Amino acid sequence: MIETEPLVAAAGLVKHFPVRRGLFGRVSGLVRAVDGVDVRIAAGETLGVVGESGCGKSTLGRMVLRLIEPTAGSIVFDGQDIGTLGAGALRAQRRAMQIIFQDPYSSLNPRMTVGQTLAEPLRLHGLHRGREGERVTELLHTVGLAPEHALRYPHEFSGGQRQRIGIARALAVEPKLIVCDEAVSALDVSVQAQVVNLLQDLQRRFGLAYIFIAHDLAVVKHIATRVAVMYLGRIVETADKEALFANPRHPYTQALLAAIPRPEPSARRERPVLGGDVPSPLNPPPGCHFHTRCPHAQPVCSQTAPLLEGTGDGHFAACHFWREIQSHAATEQPIAFAPARRRLERLQSAFVASDPVPTP
Ligand code: SF4
């Protein structure tokens, strides 16, 4: 459950990357990577952020750390508005916010031993002065590596071990939040499970909060407390993990869940697996961005962006017809679009809602 004062409270986050063309680099368009997203994360909680490639989830994670400057929106971390911090204050605050990348090898200096790699952030932040070696041994032990590994170079390790080194490096400065950006996506399934178990163990021991970014809902299911599903820069559904997996409301979430491989061959697919590609964020479809792939799309979906609507239980979905679609799934009766369409027409006549409405 969210605490009154969350560790992270980001509101109205937007990131538009200009596309430049021609000799003079004139801006010819905008890539709408993140388009009006709110995020709240409590201490010790894991928010799983899922979606296909290009949905903006990595950009969102990096914006929360201010590794990427937002085009608009605010980020409060541990009670401090980090959008207003100067370079020095931001560096000090960054100690509490770390990131683990998908490819740990590219984030490790191949010319530095693991010991030097782990001692570097200690020196930068003036931590454990005079006993850096002890701290490095402690960190290696914490992530399941041996003290002698401190003398080896990154290329001498397997992918899973390198990811453990990346985790140890993040832990070195005793953070409160770690963004795990596709941190297990490149690993074999058995190694993925080991790294996820390690992350969960560290969370219990140190009270860490994670933003766990992945394109695979099956992985997120094991680690997340809450899940946010993103599509073309917007959150289309967010809920506690149990509610989202048991009772997905948005057709996109339903399709992602249907795509999870099932061990039993006789398992019946009750929902259609998603087809087609994600449209370009340079020119996203109007209205509901998902309407070009949605099996339930109605004419109104291409005209009006749905609100991220909640039901008072922390479960929010951005779909005009989620109630009707759910009722259809439960009763197998044809979907009754007409009442919802009339409700929308009344709304449309009250205001033009072609822009996304800020998430709750
Ligand atoms: Fe599908 Fe329309 Fe709902 Fe979008 S608003 S998810 S297009 S039914």
Side-chain angles (χ1 to χ4, degrees):
M1 234 345 130
I2 300 258
E3 292 173 355
T4 320
E5 285 296 327
L7 180 65
V8 179
L13 285 181
V14 172
K15 184 64 193 179
H16 293 169
F17 294 101
V19 177
R20 297 181 187 278
R21 291 230 169 84
L23 195 58
F24 301 105
R26 274 192 32 213
V27 175
S28 62
L30 289 174
V31 172
R32 298 167 189 275
V34 174
D35 216 4
V37 164
D38 290 5
V39 175
R40 288 168 75 86
I41 305 164
E45 178 183 52
T46 300
L47 175 70
V49 182
V50 288
E52 293 163 287
S53 295
C55 70
K57 53 192 189 301
S58 290
T59 305
L60 174 65
R62 285 161 205 229
M63 262 200 296
V64 168
L65 304 185
R66 250 193 85 188
L67 294 174
I68 293 177
E69 286 297 329
T71 306
S74 66
I75 306 158
V76 176
F77 178 82
D78 209 10
Q80 194 160 28
D81 182 350
I82 64 167
T84 58
L85 296 181
L90 184 60
R91 213 188 80 192
Q93 187 64 288
R94 282 238 173 85
R95 189 186 141 189
M97 309 182 289
Q98 295 292 303
I99 185 165
I100 305 168
F101 298 99
Q102 176 175 6
D103 178 6
Y105 194 57
S106 65
S107 62
L108 298 172
N109 186 333
R111 284 186 289 275
M112 284 168 75
T113 65
V114 167
Q116 290 167 333
T117 296
L118 298 185
E120 189 183 44
L122 300 178
R123 267 199 311 280
L124 275 175
H125 290 279
L127 299 170
H128 301 272
R129 279 208 183 97
R131 53 174 295 271
E132 288 92 347
E134 269 174 64
R135 177 65 177 150
V136 166
T137 304
E138 193 178 286
L139 287 165
L140 288 169
H141 178 71
T142 304
V143 299
L145 294 172
E148 54 269 28
H149 285 141
L151 302 174
R152 296 201 198 154
Y153 288 87
H155 73 269
E156 298 177 66
F157 293 89
S158 67
Q161 286 175 319
R162 282 184 204 139
Q163 200 52 285
R164 286 174 190 265
I165 297 165
I167 294 169
R169 190 181 152 91
L171 281 181
V173 291
E174 296 155 24
K176 295 180 179 174
L177 170 74
I178 300 181
V179 173
C180 306
D181 188 0
E182 301 273 11
V184 299
S185 302
L187 304 175
D188 291 342
V189 174
S190 62
V191 183
Q192 272 187 0
Q194 291 167 15
V195 174
V196 166
N197 288 342
L198 172 64
L199 288 170
Q200 285 178 313
D201 179 47
L202 297 174
Q203 185 170 53
R204 278 189 290 272
R205 288 172 65 185
F206 304 118
L208 296 166
Y210 295 131
I211 297 179
F212 192 88
I213 295 166
H215 57 267
D216 185 353
L217 262 174
V219 178
V220 166
K221 188 176 186 180
H222 289 290
I223 191 165
T225 324
R226 281 186 306 122
V227 180
V229 180
M230 284 190 75
Y231 190 79
L232 273 182
R234 298 176 184 169
I235 291 179
V236 296
E237 182 163 7
T238 183
D240 287 345
K241 174 180 71 179
E242 287 76 19
L244 187 121
F245 278 84
N247 192 18
R249 291 177 179 173
H250 197 281
Y252 181 57
T253 314
Q254 292 169 358
L256 289 181
L257 282 172
I260 297 176
R262 302 186 189 188
E264 26 359 322
S266 59
R268 194 161 63 94
R269 289 206 184 284
E270 286 139 10
R271 299 178 182 116
V273 176
L274 195 59
D277 294 325
V278 184
S280 167
L282 195 55
N283 188 20
C288 173
H289 286 347
F290 189 57
H291 80 259
T292 54
R293 299 169 85 196
C294 180
H296 307 296
Q298 300 293 302
V300 67
C301 300
S302 60
Q303 296 157 10
T304 306
L307 315 182
L308 193 58
E309 235 188 336
T311 40
D313 54 357
H315 196 156
F316 296 84
C319 171
H320 296 310
F321 301 108
W322 72 262
R323 287 184 186 81
E324 290 74 14
I325 294 167
Q326 279 216 321
S327 147
H328 158 73
T331 61
E332 300 201 351
Q333 295 295 312
I335 302 179
F337 286 115
R341 263 202 308 263
R342 282 197 290 274
R343 174 168 54 86
L344 282 168
E345 278 159 12
R346 282 199 300 277
L347 265 175
Q348 271 182 315
S349 63
F351 66 97
V352 177
S354 58
D355 287 327
V357 171
T359 53

